[in-house]
Amino acid sequence: MPSHPTAAAKVALPKRRAADLAYDAIESLISTMQIEPGSPVVENDLVELTGLGRTPVREALLRMISIGLITQQPRRGLLVSSIDLAEHLDVIQTRRVLEDLIATCSARRASVAQRKEIVRCAERMLKAADRGNLNEYMRADHELDLVNHVACLNKSAVKAVVPLIVQCRRFWYAYQHEGDITAGAKAHMELAEGIATGNESAAAAGANRLLDYLEVFARRIIDR
């Protein structure tokens, strides 16, 4: 268990429905490659793995179909979608625009508590990177996103960016041996400090540095 309190414990986040919890649990299994691309999706197995009911699991799966994380094929049922290398740079390009908007909104609108928590999450990422602890790094990354998304007060941008973040997370886990989490942590800290100081230009620069990092990482995989 992490030694630091979670973001939810420090900053009030919206109450999560059972379907949201099911989505997070299943998405984590898929993003971390515990359920690999092309694998069949068996509802009963997911109910058992998540410890949640059939209805929230089913609702979570429908949401994943809508964003392309799971595909529905005739006679084959539900399958985890493949990672499309050719399209991944488009994912990053689109995410860049949205992350810029979210960062500037958070710099302008975040509460004092949210600003402090975003920096704390980035500090945890740096410490995890120093230890080479990828799971803790990704957990802190996810918590930073949660607080940032609430702080920005732009639900449309958040709704659009979340599926792209999921695709980037899965891409990272699939090719993590090629990555440098220290560089990623430093980019997140630049973003966090820009938001914390209320400097919209600095926050946007941090967001763009983060997407530069993800693009370099992706090109290393695609062009090899």
Side-chain angles (χ1 to χ4, degrees):
M1 295 293 291
S3 58
H4 300 270
T6 64
K10 291 176 176 291
V11 177
L13 297 174
K15 187 175 180 180
R16 314 297 307 287
R17 301 179 305 122
D20 295 327
L21 298 176
Y23 177 90
D24 284 352
I26 299 167
E27 187 261 297
S28 179
L29 291 169
I30 293 173
S31 293
T32 59
M33 309 299 286
Q34 294 178 64
I35 302 178
E36 296 183 350
S39 298
V41 177
V42 182
E43 187 178 290
N44 288 339
D45 291 348
L46 294 176
V47 169
E48 184 175 345
L49 282 169
T50 62
L52 296 165
R54 189 175 302 278
T55 297
V57 165
R58 189 168 295 165
E59 186 174 335
L61 292 177
L62 288 173
R63 182 176 163 192
M64 290 178 178
I65 292 170
S66 71
I67 66 172
L69 192 57
I70 289 175
T71 60
Q72 191 167 21
Q73 298 187 5
R75 295 183 296 280
R76 297 188 64 190
L78 300 181
L79 300 174
V80 176
S81 64
S82 60
I83 296 175
D84 192 324
L85 295 180
E87 291 185 1
H88 194 68
L89 291 176
D90 290 340
V91 169
I92 291 173
Q93 184 179 40
T94 306
R95 182 179 170 185
R96 184 185 295 275
V97 177
L98 293 166
E99 292 285 9
D100 184 296
L101 174 60
I102 289 169
T104 54
C105 286
S106 288
R108 184 166 63 250
R109 299 169 176 171
S111 68
V112 172
Q114 287 167 336
R115 294 176 198 276
K116 290 180 178 178
E117 186 56 40
I118 287 170
V119 172
R120 274 193 288 262
C121 289
E123 289 172 344
R124 284 174 54 204
M125 293 181 73
L126 285 170
K127 290 177 182 177
D130 286 342
R131 296 193 301 268
N133 188 331
L134 180 61
N135 288 333
E136 176 60 21
Y137 173 90
M138 297 301 283
R139 184 158 47 244
D141 180 17
H142 180 59
E143 291 183 1
L144 191 156
D145 284 341
L146 288 176
V147 182
N148 189 22
H149 291 170
V150 174
C152 78
L153 298 176
N154 189 326
K155 292 181 179 179
S156 295
V158 171
K159 184 177 180 180
V161 82
V162 166
L164 307 180
I165 291 174
V166 172
Q167 291 188 52
C168 288
R169 185 181 300 129
R170 186 163 66 135
F171 187 93
W172 171 267
Y173 268 99
Y175 301 102
Q176 59 183 274
H177 57 283
E178 299 279 355
D180 175 4
I181 59 176
T182 298
K186 289 178 179 177
H188 279 87
M189 179 55 78
E190 184 177 330
L191 167 66
E193 289 177 340
I195 293 172
T197 59
N199 186 325
E200 294 181 32
S201 295
N208 275 285
R209 180 179 173 186
L210 173 58
L211 272 296
D212 287 344
Y213 160 73
L214 293 176
E215 183 173 340
V216 168
F217 172 69
R219 289 189 183 278
R220 189 181 305 133
I221 305 301
I222 294 167
D223 296 340
R224 66 184 179 184

